[in-house]
Each structure stands twice: as structure tokens, then as C-alpha cells.
Amino acid sequence: MTSMSRALPAQAADAVIIEQSRREPERFAAIFDRYYPEIHGYAARRLGEGLADDVAAETFLIAFDKRAGYDVSRADARPWLYGIASNLIARHHRAEVRQYRALAKAGADSPVEDHADQVAGAVDAGARTRRLAEALAEIADRDRDVLLLVAWAELTSEEAGSALGIPAGTARSRLHRARRKVQAALERDGS
């Protein structure tokens, strides 16, 4: 095999990279480089910065170890990686719920501005943030996982289902239920 045929195109499909990494492990670095910031950001939003480094790193260690079993018919590795991350996050569930409850108690940090409309907007945003955090803390784990994969990771409900190992219809149902609960929480108290 010549070095020309071994080079990867700028945006090679994830499946191609993972398949090549089975023979040439260093190829997996492209998957890490492509998705680490995204996975880290998702973990940080779910658990805070303190645990995000560990969860993101462990996600890629597990993915690297399990790359031989990756289904190469799936061109996009994002749902697979988010599934691994979600499983790791589930282990840290108690920390996540504590974070939402603390946010619900504290509210958002709102800068005090001179302009009355900006102040009113900041107060309203703080109240909405508290209600949102309360709603997220109260939603069932399985529903929250789907909601946050769709909202924060920007996966489709089908990709979220794939990430969590559940049928697409189940993911859509959980997403609908979670959205209903969040909407109800945000509508409380006349918001």
C-alpha cells in the first residue's frame, strides 16, 4: 500500500477512520481530534467542568478499546460516542442532579445593567433558569438523557436513540415527555 492510498481525505467518514484504526491504531487520533471538544462540552454541561475532563477522556479510551466492534455501516460515530459518554455520565448522575438543584437555588448570575429593560430581562432569565434547572433535576434519567442529547449535543431523536441503545420511537416518546415537563415548569408562575 502506498502512502498516497493510506492518506485520509480531509473529512473521511468516521467509519473509514475507525476501520483503518483497527490495523493502524494511530488513525483513531482523527476521531479524537474531531469529536473531543464536542464530547467534552456535552459532559461539562451535564456534570460541570471538574468531571468533564475525566468523562471525555474515558469516553475515547472506551471507544478506542471497542473500535473492533464498531459497526462500519454507520458512517457517523457521533451517536456511538455520545452513547458511551451518556453511560459514563449515568454513573455520575448524583453529581448531575446536585448541580441542577444548586443552579435552581442560586439562579443564573445576572449582570446589573443601568438600562431597566436589560435588568428586567436578566431577572426573568434568572427565574427561567432556576425553573429549567428544577425541571431537569426532576425529569427521569432516561428522559433527561434523550432531551440533553437532542438539545445540547444536537443529535436527532434517532441518533439519540442509537446513542442510548433504544428504538427511535422510544427516544421520540421520551423526548416528547421531557419537553412537556420542561415546558410546564417554564410556564409555572406566569412565565
Side-chain angles (χ1 to χ4, degrees), residues 91-151:
R91 294 182 191 166
H92 296 282
H93 169 71
R94 286 189 297 266
E96 181 184 32
V97 170
R98 279 193 304 271
Q99 179 183 355
Y100 290 138
R101 289 196 174 127
L103 181 59
K105 288 179 186 172
D109 293 336
S110 301
V112 177
E113 305 281 340
D114 289 332
H115 193 274
D117 287 340
Q118 290 173 332
V119 171
V123 169
D124 183 52
R128 289 178 65 82
T129 299
R130 281 190 294 280
R131 285 192 299 277
L132 176 60
E134 289 168 357
L136 288 173
E138 298 303 319
I139 292 173
D141 296 350
R142 61 186 192 205
D143 296 349
R144 183 176 45 248
D145 286 343
V146 174
L147 176 68
L148 297 180
L149 283 170
V150 170

Side-chain angles (χ1 to χ4, degrees), residues 146 157-158 160-162 166-176:
V146 174
S157 57
E158 290 77 16
S162 175
I166 59 175
T170 301
R172 284 190 296 274
S173 176
R174 289 179 183 178
L175 179 61
H176 176 71

Side-chain angles (χ1 to χ4, degrees), residues 79-91:
W80 179 59
L81 293 169
Y82 277 108
I84 295 168
S86 292
N87 287 334
L88 294 171
I89 288 168
R91 294 182 191 166

